[in-house]
Amino acid sequence: PTLLSEPVCLHGEVVKGFGRGSSLLQIPTANLPQESLEQLPQNFETGIYLGWATVDGAGPYKMVASVGWNPFFQQYNPYRGTTPYPQI
């Protein structure tokens, strides 16, 4: 694993995802819109990141963010997406 040299912050309104988080994974998710990724540095690598999330001013919550492709769900589209998984 590689540590980031500085914190990364994303902002965005929570949008509807594929509906897999709560129903299939039994974990509530908060999906950010594609435009939120424009806040990331150009050389930001896809991967799984640990961090903190606030939702509607509540939190911070421990979270995991998946940035990039999702082979588990056969999602190989060449775009960068993010799904924070707050532990509520």
Side-chain angles (χ1 to χ4, degrees):
T2 303
L3 292 176
L4 299 177
S5 60
E6 59 186 56
V8 175
C9 187
L10 290 176
H11 299 272
E13 192 167 322
V14 175
V15 296
K16 182 169 176 50
F18 294 105
R20 299 184 287 227
S22 294
S23 62
L24 183 60
L25 302 174
Q26 301 299 305
I27 300 170
T29 64
N31 301 283
L32 297 178
Q34 187 73 21
E35 297 79 39
S36 294
L37 298 172
E38 295 171 5
Q39 301 167 56
L40 294 174
Q42 190 67 19
N43 62 345
F44 195 81
E45 293 187 35
T46 60
I48 306 298
Y49 295 87
L50 304 175
W52 300 95
T54 57
V55 179
D56 292 334
Y61 303 105
K62 294 177 185 177
M63 67 93 177
V64 176
S66 173
V67 179
W69 298 274
N70 194 333
F72 183 81
F73 290 109
Q74 290 77 47
Q75 182 181 357
Y76 296 100
N77 301 0
Y79 73 92
R80 295 177 354 165
T82 184
T83 306
Y85 300 97
Q87 295 180 340
I88 298 175

